[in-house]
């Protein structure tokens, strides 16, 4: 396998990883948006959270949802976006890892000289 083809395959394998990274950032932004909503509409519940849960917006929102302290359409939208972005993140990482594994196998096992 020549260097140009190998580099192109590595870049191709990195693209799903880049997509996963972008989804991870979008998931963080989704949690921050939900936390702003919770702070505005459920101020007392948010202030009763442990300080660590308040610092990590995703954890804080999920604690309130798990305890049943917040619910409604905004919460359902947050959960739907969060689940989608989590699946997309893990799928992108998995596809990237599998493509890199294929490249390694092609380079060292199948196309190795001799």
């Amino acid at each position: 396998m020549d260097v140009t083809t190998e580099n192109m395959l590595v870049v191709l394998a990195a693209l799903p990883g880049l997509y996963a990274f972008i989804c991870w950032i979008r998931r963080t932004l989704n949690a921050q948006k939900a936390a702003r909503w919770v702070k505005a509409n459920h101020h007392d519940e948010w202030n009763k959270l442990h300080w660590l849960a308040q610092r990590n917006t995703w954890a804080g929102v999920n604690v309130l949802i798990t305890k049943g302290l917040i619910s409604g359409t905004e919460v359902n939208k947050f959960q739907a976006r969060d689940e989608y972005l989590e699946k997309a993140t893990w799928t992108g990482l998995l596809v990237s890892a599998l493509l890199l594994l294929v490249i390694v196998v092609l380079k060292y096992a199948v196309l190795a000289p001799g």
Side-chain angles (χ1 to χ4, degrees):
M1 185 177 337
D2 66 339
V3 175
T4 305
T5 306
E6 185 177 328
N7 288 341
M8 286 176 33
L9 290 174
V10 168
V11 168
L12 182 66
L15 289 177
L18 179 63
Y19 175 72
F21 180 69
I22 290 169
C23 287
W24 176 69
I25 291 171
R26 288 178 57 206
R27 188 174 182 214
T28 302
L29 295 174
N30 182 43
Q32 289 174 352
K33 179 182 174 185
R36 281 192 304 272
W37 178 82
V38 170
K39 289 175 192 176
N41 295 299
H42 301 280
H43 188 73
D44 294 335
E45 287 87 354
W46 183 263
N47 286 336
K48 290 178 187 174
L49 284 174
H50 190 273
W51 67 272
L52 283 174
Q54 289 180 3
R55 300 274 301 167
N56 184 337
T57 55
W58 183 85
V61 172
N62 277 309
V63 165
L64 293 174
I65 292 170
T66 304
K67 288 184 174 183
L69 298 174
I70 61 173
S71 62
T73 57
E74 273 302 309
V75 173
N76 294 338
K77 288 178 187 178
F78 162 75
Q79 286 180 311
R81 282 189 305 261
D82 188 63
E83 289 173 9
Y84 168 77
L85 291 170
E86 182 179 19
K87 287 178 187 175
T89 300
W90 287 111
T91 302
L93 290 174
L94 178 65
V95 169
S96 187
L98 290 174
L99 288 172
L100 288 172
L101 180 64
V102 166
I103 292 169
V104 168
V105 167
L106 284 175
K107 181 174 175 126
Y108 292 109
V110 177
L111 301 175

